[in-house]
Amino acid sequence: MKFIFVTLFPNLIKPYFEDSIMKRAIEKNLFSIEFVNFRDYSSNKHKKVDDTPFGGGAGMVLAVEPLYNCLNDLKSKYPNSKIIFTTPVAKTFNQKDAKRLSLEETIIFVNGRYEGFDERIIEEFADEVLSIGDFILSGGELASMVMADAIARNITEVLGNTESLEIESFENELLEAPSFTKPKTFSNIKNQNVISEFFKGNHSIIASLKENLAIAKTKYHRPDIYKKYKTRTKYEK
């Protein structure tokens, strides 16, 4: 797996991969990263990459030529790559996407700035357009980092314990059950002792308890997901 970040600001992304789980995975050659600044592909003598929008309006739009030259070059180098544009006007990225995309050979994230892309570039090169939510960021770099992290976690051996993936939120359309650790009682927080069943060693009871807690948590925090879960389980019975 290789992640390529097409961006005007590679230094916004690089530090995230220089520590913790992502750093160790790169050191083990489980995946690699590359940064491409599409300003380098501008033929403008000032290396300009944006221009005013047709039809008027505030801000500047990323020009066609630099991105076309950049993506055309990358596509010739990585013919089996999947090109993903990060944009708020797209389907919301989710855990199923993360698992699906973890099987790709090369993913190219195209990160916008200013008022976004000239639509012709998206139509020409995008295999997918994805968003991380209904809000606006200053650029696509944060969104591509979020997606890359979620995807990388599903690559074999990136996580030390693969069982962690099986119990995480959004598996089986439920949020993950609440977690607890030592001590059993923390005197500063009243009436908040850890549920006693967790200490009795009956794994079937613990599993059932965690499932019920996950259902309750999902119903409270994400009624939209809970509705899907109820619909699925209704038809499975």
Side-chain angles (χ1 to χ4, degrees), residues 61-123:
V61 176
L62 291 171
V64 172
E65 186 222 35
L67 273 169
Y68 180 90
N69 293 340
C70 175
L71 295 175
N72 204 39
D73 184 35
L74 288 173
K75 199 66 180 176
S76 65
K77 291 178 181 176
Y78 305 98
N80 296 322
S81 62
K82 181 176 282 289
I83 297 179
I84 297 175
F85 281 72
T86 57
T87 168
V89 289
K91 169 192 176 295
T92 303
F93 176 82
N94 59 36
Q95 183 67 9
K96 289 181 179 178
D97 294 318
K99 295 172 77 171
R100 170 177 60 84
L101 292 169
S102 70
L103 303 177
E104 294 292 333
E105 181 180 310
T106 304
I107 294 177
I108 300 172
F109 287 109
V110 188
N111 299 286
R113 279 274 154 175
Y114 317 126
E115 293 302 309
F117 305 102
D118 185 303
E119 191 70 19
R120 290 170 291 182
I121 284 293
I122 296 176
E123 293 292 336

Side-chain angles (χ1 to χ4, degrees), residues 128-147:
E128 294 190 41
V129 288
L130 291 171
S131 166
I132 61 168
D134 296 338
F135 49 86
I136 307 301
L137 297 169
S138 298
E141 288 79 13
L142 282 171
S144 67
M145 286 163 58
V146 167
M147 292 186 221

